[in-house]
Amino acid sequence: MKINHLFFLFVFFLFAANAFAQGDGIALAPARVELEMQPGSETTFVVNLDYRAAAGGAAKPARIVASLNDWGITPDGLVEFYKANTQPRSASSWIIYSPAETTVTPGNVHSIRVTISVPADAAAGDHLAALIVEERPDSIKLNQNARQVVVHYRMASVFYIKVGKLVRRGSLENLQARVSPKGILVTPTLKNEGNSVLRPTASLKIFDAEGKPVAECAEIEPLPVLANSSLSQATLLEKELPPGVYTVKYKVDFQDGSRATEGVTDFTVKERDKKPVNLASNKPAN
């Protein structure tokens, strides 16, 4: 009996580009589109699909299809995609695009024309959608008598449609620190009470019981904090600390026009199990 060994490798590129690490590849640009628009307005732009072919490569034309999805970021920092028009603040119904299906050839850039029409009664703030581009499943050819690796690419260009008066209002709601097998995990909870995305920058320092710095991370770029949402994304410092009491200071600038905010929390590293014990409640200080 002959067995077809098919290894299906699903590669999803969120903001990116290459369907293959080297050689032939497909790129989608721009990967992120941010447009400030007014209710009742319309605009058109182009998303380009670049099918790159390595010199002397054997890349062949591919049939691709485009579709719309809603998308969001979960509180623990995972990017998720949803059926179009199912999420609050979806912009999918505002978008038309062409072509929906085409054949791409190596060495050429193929354009997808996107038109966004904002309804006259659209609420102020960010509205989200994503243009998904992927290969048609029926274009994948299988050799039933050979061992194969099939690469199926799926890429997204994510859209922020920013309507009317935009409000950005960030706050640091909580700060936790604990010891993990790989080092110190510091997890802030960042909250956005506004109607438009925040892109904060942050830094942190860890001090011993005498107030001496023992570890730091000077430049942290958390994921975006979407409108009316919160994000708890951990930062790992690969540092082993001796037993003792430590203080973490986490400073975040929400880029919302307000001053940077600093949160403080303590933890203990024990000799027995190297696990932290919170000594006090978080002490946020502006």
Side-chain angles (χ1 to χ4, degrees), residues 43-59:
T43 191
T44 298
F45 59 93
V46 169
V47 175
N48 288 317
L49 185 67
D50 185 2
Y51 193 169
R52 304 187 185 109

Side-chain angles (χ1 to χ4, degrees), residues 182-186 204 206 215-217 235-239:
K182 294 184 178 180
I184 310 301
L185 281 174
V186 179
L204 70 86
I206 299 179
E216 70 174 318
C217 189
T235 296
L236 173 66
L237 280 77
E238 296 181 347
K239 179 81 172 182

Side-chain angles (χ1 to χ4, degrees), residues 55-79:
K60 298 179 180 180
R63 194 73 178 168
I64 62 98
V65 292
S67 60
L68 291 172
N69 273 189
D70 292 348
W71 71 278
I73 301 176
T74 65
D76 56 353
L78 296 177
V79 178

Side-chain angles (χ1 to χ4, degrees), residues 8 12 28 35 53-54 95 110 125 132 138 180 224 256 259:
F8 183 80
F12 188 94
L28 194 64
L35 296 172
I95 301 171
H110 303 266
I132 307 294
D138 58 8
S180 76
D256 60 355
R259 292 187 303 171

Side-chain angles (χ1 to χ4, degrees), residues 207-214 244-247:
F207 300 86
D208 63 16
E210 298 178 354
K212 298 178 181 179
V214 295
V245 178
Y246 297 91
T247 297

Side-chain angles (χ1 to χ4, degrees), residues 196-262:
S196 188
V197 64
L198 292 170
R199 290 192 169 83
T201 59
S203 62
L204 70 86
K205 289 185 178 180
I206 299 179
F207 300 86
D208 63 16
E210 298 178 354
K212 298 178 181 179
V214 295
E216 70 174 318
C217 189
E219 295 183 2
I220 303 171
E221 292 188 9
L223 285 171
V225 188
L226 300 180
N228 297 301
S229 69
S230 62
L231 176 69
S232 299
Q233 181 186 8
T235 296
L236 173 66
L237 280 77
E238 296 181 347
K239 179 81 172 182
E240 184 175 349
L241 298 175
V245 178
Y246 297 91
T247 297
V248 178
K249 293 185 178 181
Y250 185 95
K251 189 174 184 178
V252 55
D253 184 350
F254 287 100
Q255 309 290 322
D256 60 355
S258 63
R259 292 187 303 171
T261 298
E262 185 175 84

